[in-house]
Amino acid sequence: MEDYRVRYQQWLEDPFIDEETKAELRGITDENEIKERFFKELEFGTGGLRGIIGNGSNRLNRYTVGKASQGLANYIKKEGTQKQGVAIAYDSRFMSPEFAEVAGLIFAANGIPAYVYPSLRPVPMLSFAVRELGCTAGGVLTASHNPPEYNGYKVYWADGAQVVAPRDKGIITEVNAVENFGQIQRMEKAEAVEKKLYNLIGEEVDEAFDRNVQAQLMNPEMIARMGDKLNIVYTPLHGSGNLPVRRNLAKAGFKNVFIVKEQELPDSSFSTVDYPNPEDTKVFTLARRLAAEVNADVLIGTDPDCDRMGAMVKDSEGNFVALTGNMVGALATDYILSQRKEQGRLPANGVVVKTIVSTEMITPICRAYGVGKIDVLTGFKYIGEQIKGFEETGSHTYLFGFEESYGCLAGTYARDKDGVYAAVLVCEM
């Protein structure tokens, strides 16, 4: 019997898999469908889990999420940091709230307090919460800007960044060591809540996040003078950015923010776009229509987990053109450094960090301001790793970091790219 058939049969006979799941699996009549779902185990890699939602070993479901959570719990217990707890967030994708609860209750069953956001939140807010709450780790249920049939599970460590070597390999080893679903610890939600092992994250954490975003403003006096003269169109693309982006634009002082109503509310199908990626200018079709009605100066869009931000601005002919991630990175580097220099806030050991595939245009910019520049491997977690190193050694002061794939961060309150901050930054510039 082929391996996929063996795995399929194991799921049908597993006493720890519920009957509803088994009934759905028994009802599959297409052999290719069985093969696709079971030809391998969904792999937990350095970026966590990501896959198509559904039942089967090669799908994202409560059992594969459960295995990953139990593996992480085992790793945390071996580290001896279980009392610090784990923070959990999720976005607007199918099954994200359910998977977040599954994960939280598994941590609870392992004696690890879970701190779960009560509704969808951006990835950078999870990164922030890990540090704000003093957690040992964090998890976020999201597939970023992938098509709607996908979901995923990103894992963060105590510094608020996605895990890097060698810790990532240690976690992967523990996840792979969970060989059957009977090894997954379970606890009822009522018991977990009563024992304070399952807790909702309060509004005070949102407020603290906002304060840190606002602290990155370079010239709030300018916004106070001009904030009512800029017309902004924003689309959250049915994702988690809707409330925090609007809230932070308002707190910064921007008065005229127009929301693309068709894309305002969570929609797991992302029904108004081919796929919800702000790197694709087609997602701004509805925003451009609204822009014409309100005479907008800038269009902003964030992806479902709101770690990426895309923008369009008017050219000299009045037509909207996209700013690439490299353009935003170069413009922001010059803006932040110029403002800091003008205000006497440019530290002698300041540094800008970018990924190796991002534009070299910032090299002469940094040189002109007497600021260092560091290149890291592709992936914002390596920028987060640099921030942690600077904190530990005092060697540099982190000023700004970005990657060409539409992600950036100023300040060290988060350790992942922040679409909330990026939206405010573009409007300020």
Side-chain angles (χ1 to χ4, degrees), residues 102-327:
V102 165
L105 290 175
I106 289 168
F107 292 125
N110 281 274
I112 303 169
Y115 301 93
V116 187
Y117 274 113
S119 56
L120 70 170
R121 293 294 191 284
V123 156
M125 293 185 76
L126 182 277
S127 173
F128 174 79
V130 169
R131 290 162 49 76
E132 181 74 3
L133 298 173
C135 293
T136 188
V140 58
L141 282 302
T142 176
S144 189
H145 53 277
N146 280 64
E149 62 269 23
Y150 283 82
N151 209 331
Y153 187 4
K154 293 181 186 176
V155 173
Y156 292 73
W157 199 244
D159 62 335
Q162 289 189 59
V163 289
V164 294
R167 199 178 298 282
D168 55 356
K169 301 292 193 297
I171 294 172
I172 290 168
T173 298
E174 290 297 333
V175 172
N176 291 338
V178 180
E179 294 179 345
N180 65 76
F181 298 130
Q183 294 172 265
I184 299 172
Q185 302 294 310
R186 290 170 172 80
M187 179 179 275
E188 290 299 318
K189 188 173 182 180
E191 182 186 355
V193 170
E194 184 184 345
K195 292 182 174 178
K196 294 187 167 41
L197 288 168
Y198 190 96
N199 312 277
L200 294 182
I201 296 174
E203 287 183 5
E204 68 277 3
V205 178
D206 291 351
E207 291 164 3
F209 174 82
D210 290 359
R211 285 195 299 274
N212 278 275
V213 171
Q214 296 300 312
Q216 308 313 315
L217 293 173
M218 288 290 112
N219 200 327
E221 297 81 11
M222 175 190 64
I223 301 174
R225 290 196 313 272
M226 304 294 291
D228 61 348
K229 295 178 173 61
L230 189 73
N231 287 348
I232 303 160
V233 165
Y234 169 58
T235 172
L237 297 178
H238 307 294
S240 61
N242 182 32
L243 297 180
V245 169
R246 294 168 69 173
R247 198 170 63 232
N248 276 282
L249 286 171
K251 286 181 176 181
F254 295 104
K255 310 291 187 190
N256 307 324
V257 181
F258 302 91
I259 309 303
V260 179
K261 289 296 179 187
E262 300 93 329
Q263 297 171 331
E264 177 183 15
L265 299 179
D267 173 7
S268 302
S269 298
F270 305 109
S271 53
T272 63
V273 293
D274 291 336
Y275 72 121
N277 185 357
E279 294 178 80
D280 179 3
T281 56
K282 291 198 290 294
V283 304
F284 287 103
T285 300
L286 293 171
R288 282 199 293 260
R289 188 184 304 165
L290 177 58
E293 296 173 17
V294 300
N295 190 29
D297 301 295
V298 58
L299 316 182
I300 291 168
T302 51
D303 65 348
D305 59 347
C306 194
D307 59 354
R308 299 169 192 259
M309 183 278 317
M312 300 188 78
V313 294
K314 281 181 177 175
D315 65 12
S316 58
E317 305 294 317
N319 301 310
F320 278 102
V321 294
L323 296 178
T324 67
N326 278 330
M327 288 176 179

Side-chain angles (χ1 to χ4, degrees), residues 346-415:
L346 195 59
N349 66 347
V351 69
V352 175
V353 187
K354 74 174 187 68
T355 55
I356 54 174
V357 294
S358 302
T359 180
E360 285 301 322
M361 189 180 287
I362 72 155
T363 302
I365 297 173
C366 290
R367 193 182 301 125
Y369 289 101
V371 163
K373 185 211 72 169
I374 293 176
D375 287 284
V376 296
L377 295 173
T378 304
F380 212 90
K381 63 184 177 181
Y382 297 111
I383 297 177
E385 185 181 32
Q386 289 290 318
I387 297 172
K388 182 185 178 202
F390 301 155
E391 280 191 343
E392 291 172 348
T393 65
S395 61
H396 295 89
T397 299
Y398 174 82
L399 300 176
F400 184 63
F402 74 97
E403 57 184 4
E404 39 71 48
S405 55
Y406 286 56
C408 69
L409 175 73
T412 60
Y413 59 95
R415 300 298 162 87

Side-chain angles (χ1 to χ4, degrees), residues 81-103:
T81 55
Q82 58 266 39
K83 287 184 180 177
Q84 293 170 232
V86 176
I88 300 173
Y90 57 90
D91 68 5
S92 57
R93 289 185 174 272
F94 288 117
M95 297 298 292
S96 278
E98 291 86 348
F99 291 156
E101 183 171 297
V102 165

